[in-house]
Amino acid sequence: MKDNYRIGSIFGIPLELHVSFLLLLLFFFIYSAVTLNPGPFIYIVLLFATVTLHELSHSLMAMRYGVKISKITLLPFGGIAAMEEIPKNPRKEFAIAIAGPGFNFAVGGITLAVILALGEGHRIFPFFEMKIESATDLLLLFFKINILLGAFNLFIPALPMDGGRVFRSLLAFKLGFSAATEIATGIAKMIAIFMALLGALLPNLWLIFIAFFVYIGATQEGEVSRIHLMLAGLKVRDLMSTEVVTVDEDITLQEFAEVIFTKKHMGYPVVSGGKLVGIITFSDLSRVPREKWATTRVGEVMTRKLLTISPEEEASEAFMRMARAGVGRLLVVSGGRLVGIISKTDLLRTLEIMRLMRE
Ligand code: ZN
């Protein structure tokens, strides 16, 4: 089963639904259909709309600052607007993080004003009573969902939740990005462990699910930040290997397997008549059954989409580009000519050496 399902795009940003949200929508739909009570389904659809608008607020603020959003993933308790790069400028991160909950509170405020104007203020409490019988009930529900979603995301200071981003950006004003991240991810992990324990005690599956999400997210944030710090000042040129072994697109996979065996690299640029036409890796080879190697040519299984980078780019940019594309290497091209290859292994080896030298 896939984790995320693409459901469309908005402002050119792909919109994905996390499988947990999809199951929840389906479950509430069936539940409402069976019980002939549209309430639960309306509730989940309103939640869906609110989460989407929340994420969109982050995205629009990010775009205002020139930060690209590669996709938005919707989860039942919020979402993730995947930024191509987390802004190191605390003011930007603060503004982007606060935009989502800020939107929820603004909408909550407006709906509250309408509810009060209608003389229905007394019906706000009990807060968790959510029945839908009239248009006012719908308004009350929308108000509550916005307040809950805004509060939940803003007041838990755990990266990668909004509250954690706000917290990190505030720390970063004083301590700088890296130190702030170290502290914020440490606290986020503690909160995650606490949430998981609480979830196990209650028991509440949602809390456990969110705890996992926070723990994994915080760990990743910490790693990315550390890699950025260690690679600071290094260029692709400094880390690429210039002894590039290319293979011809007309050789068979059998011959390619021998190249891998002798050269011991995992990926090779493919050339045809001296021109770069693709890239082939060990995993491309392993997808083809052994008995077909003698009759299959490299050109038939290689990847034609070339991911390249200039030797003058920052090494950390190479790392981010590989992570985003889910590949292990980039071709280094200068003036239309292949001058080297940079792999995740090269980067990690450098990091390892730097770590040893620091100790
Ligand atoms: Zn948010």
Side-chain angles (χ1 to χ4, degrees):
M1 190 184 265
K2 280 200 299 182
D3 278 356
N4 298 309
Y5 293 84
R6 170 118 190 229
I7 52 168
S9 73
I10 196 158
F11 292 109
I13 308 165
L15 204 60
E16 288 184 348
L17 200 58
H18 189 260
V19 62
S20 61
F21 209 161
L22 185 72
L23 293 176
L24 217 59
L25 279 163
L26 275 175
F27 174 78
F28 276 71
F29 177 74
I30 294 167
Y31 182 82
S32 282
V34 170
T35 57
L36 298 175
N37 171 14
F41 187 62
I42 292 174
Y43 166 77
I44 203 79
V45 169
L46 268 185
L47 179 64
F48 169 80
T50 312
V51 169
T52 307
L53 291 172
H54 172 110
E55 287 313 312
L56 215 53
S57 309
H58 287 306
S59 303
L60 291 178
M61 185 63 87
M63 286 158 84
R64 235 192 80 186
Y65 282 118
V67 177
K68 279 211 185 85
I69 304 290
S70 48
K71 65 174 183 178
I72 292 177
T73 307
L74 303 172
L75 288 116
F77 54 85
I80 308 162
M83 287 179 271
E84 297 217 329
E85 191 177 359
I86 294 162
K88 304 282 181 302
N89 176 333
R91 189 164 296 131
K92 283 189 195 176
E93 179 171 49
F94 180 85
I96 296 169
I98 206 103
F103 174 84
N104 290 131
F105 289 131
V107 170
I110 294 167
T111 35
L112 178 64
V114 176
I115 291 164
L116 293 177
L118 290 171
E120 302 277 0
H122 61 281
R123 291 183 53 205
I124 290 171
F125 297 100
F127 198 84
F128 290 99
E129 193 189 76
M130 294 184 184
K131 61 172 177 356
I132 306 165
E133 284 159 4
S134 66
T136 322
D137 288 339
L138 215 56
L139 204 60
L140 277 162
L141 184 62
F142 195 50
F143 163 71
K144 290 173 181 179
I145 288 178
N146 271 284
I147 294 299
L148 285 175
L149 194 70
F152 180 75
N153 279 283
L154 187 60
F155 298 134
I156 300 178
L159 271 177
M161 295 179 71
D162 297 336
R165 296 204 180 286
V166 168
F167 179 55
R168 192 228 332 244
S169 65
L170 293 176
L171 284 178
F173 276 114
K174 276 239 167 291
L175 308 171
F177 186 78
S178 297
T181 304
E182 286 299 320
I183 296 172
T185 51
I187 290 176
K189 285 182 194 175
M190 283 196 288
I191 293 175
I193 291 167
F194 175 75
M195 274 201 274
L197 288 175
L198 193 67
L201 281 174
L202 282 175
N204 184 317
L205 265 178
W206 277 118
L207 266 180
I208 297 175
F209 179 65
I210 296 166
F212 262 105
F213 166 79
V214 167
Y215 196 91
I216 293 167
T219 308
Q220 284 172 349
E221 292 261 349
E223 275 168 9
V224 168
S225 151
R226 252 164 271 145
I227 285 168
H228 268 282
L229 182 70
M230 294 186 87
L231 292 178
L234 289 172
K235 303 269 187 214
V236 168
R237 178 169 23 88
D238 305 324
L239 301 178
M240 68 184 190
S241 51
T242 47
E243 291 156 34
V244 187
V245 183
T246 59
V247 294
D248 196 275
E249 74 166 338
D250 285 328
I251 66 166
T252 64
L253 291 186
Q254 186 62 54
E255 290 166 304
F256 175 57
E258 280 155 31
V259 176
I260 293 187
F261 190 71
T262 47
K263 302 294 181 187
K264 302 188 176 57
H265 294 305
M266 297 307 259
Y268 301 81
V270 182
V271 290
S272 171
K275 237 186 96 218
L276 189 62
V277 291
I279 186 159
I280 185 160
T281 64
F282 176 72
S283 59
D284 294 329
L285 174 73
S286 61
R287 272 196 293 273
V288 178
R290 184 78 178 75
E291 60 273 17
K292 290 194 177 155
W293 285 8
T295 52
T296 311
R297 308 213 165 261
V298 161
E300 297 169 51
V301 292
M302 68 182 186
T303 309
R304 285 179 190 278
K305 195 176 168 227
L306 293 172
L307 293 168
T308 61
I309 193 160
S310 149
E312 300 312 316
E313 292 261 21
E314 301 285 329
S316 58
E317 171 60 26
F319 190 84
M320 296 302 284
R321 226 178 265 186
M322 283 188 254
R324 278 202 297 271
V327 297
R329 56 194 58 73
L330 297 173
L331 300 175
V332 186
V333 172
S334 177
R337 222 163 46 83
L338 180 70
V339 293
I341 193 162
I342 186 163
S343 69
K344 210 176 270 176
T345 331
D346 293 337
L347 284 171
L348 293 177
R349 198 180 299 132
T350 307
L351 288 175
E352 187 63 18
I353 293 167
M354 285 163 72
R355 197 178 60 79
L356 284 173
M357 280 163 55
R358 206 166 287 187
E359 272 170 7

